[in-house]
Amino acid sequence: SQTIHQWPATLVQPVGSPLSLECTVEGTSNPNLYWYRQAAGRGLQLLFYSVGIGQISSEVPQNLSASRPQDRQFILSSKKLLLSDSGFYLCASGGRNTEAFFGQGTRLTVV
Amino acid sequence: SQQGEEDPQALSIQEGENATMNCSYKTSINNLQWYRQNSGRGLVHLILIRSNEREKHSGRLRVTLDTSKKSSSLLITASRAADTASYFCAEDSNYQLIWGAGTKLIIKP
């Protein structure tokens, strides 16, 4: 099975600072990769998905961007964080016609 | 994206009792999946039920699917304290999973 490595687990950043969250995948090749954000007590909101290197699709307009520089690496970034970017961010692999594997998440607090 | 709905939002039962959670979805699905999330952690896959299946079992878990009503249910039998978590359904449609808001399950010892 796959393992999703996501770090850091928690992050406190000032408003206006940059962001880089990294996710790497083990145990599969050419996975579909996803970045989700989860508000407290809510379901998952899809932010970005990628079907291959350099291929990024965005689901919602926002202050964030994503990149996939390698097959099993997916990065979530921001040039200048807003207070509204606070949340729980999850990286996932798979999910189409098969189970999805999730990282342990990053709790981002923008102060 | 259209989000499915789960019912109830929260459920608190005694250890040993059965817990039933329901999920309604909106699209034509390839399959429907159930996941569990412990507080502040990632999600863990429980069961995937395909659109041509009506019932599926895995240990103490039983999932049903009614495509005519666009609904699914998750039954956990003989609940344990360790089952305390949030449970989410996700409809697999096209390129993404569409997630419900989840049911928060608390098992009282």
Side-chain angles (χ1 to χ4, degrees), chain B residues 2 6 14 17-18 26 32 53 61 68 72 96 101 103 109:
Chain B
Q2 295 179 323
E6 294 187 62
Q14 292 294 137
E17 294 180 339
N18 296 341
K26 299 179 180 178
L32 190 130
E53 298 176 307
L61 306 180
S68 67
S72 175
Q96 63 170 297
T103 293

Side-chain angles (χ1 to χ4, degrees), chain A residues 13-75:
Chain A
Q13 292 284 100
V15 169
S17 64
L19 173 74
S20 181
L21 300 181
E22 187 165 345
C23 168
T24 59
V25 182
E26 284 184 13
T28 189
S29 58
N30 197 29
N32 289 346
L33 297 176
Y34 303 83
W35 278 110
Y36 292 96
R37 178 166 57 205
Q38 185 180 28
R42 301 289 295 168
L44 278 64
Q45 178 189 34
L46 179 63
L47 301 176
F48 300 96
Y49 73 95
S50 172
V51 299
I53 296 173
Q55 300 179 64
I56 309 294
S57 294
S58 173
E59 280 298 295
V60 294
Q62 58 202 309
N63 185 44
L64 302 168
S65 62
S67 62
R68 185 167 177 178
Q70 299 181 44
D71 180 46
R72 287 174 283 181
Q73 184 185 29
F74 203 24
I75 298 171

Side-chain angles (χ1 to χ4, degrees), chain B residues 20-87:
Chain B
T20 299
M21 290 159 269
N22 302 297
C23 166
S24 60
Y25 60 91
K26 299 179 180 178
T27 65
S28 296
I29 59 171
N30 301 314
N31 61 73
L32 190 130
Q33 304 182 28
W34 284 90
Y35 289 79
R36 165 198 169 117
Q37 183 181 33
N38 287 66
S39 180
R41 308 283 287 176
L43 282 75
V44 176
H45 180 262
L46 297 176
I47 287 185
L48 181 154
I49 185 165
R50 302 200 181 278
S51 59
N52 61 352
E53 298 176 307
R54 291 296 167 259
E55 188 171 311
K56 204 161 184 180
H57 297 253
S58 177
R60 293 183 297 113
L61 306 180
R62 173 178 168 250
V63 167
T64 62
L65 179 65
D66 187 335
T67 53
S68 67
K69 295 180 180 178
K70 292 191 174 178
S71 67
S72 175
S73 67
L74 170 66
L75 169 67
I76 303 175
T77 60
S79 63
R80 305 168 181 169
D83 294 328
T84 293
S86 291
Y87 292 82

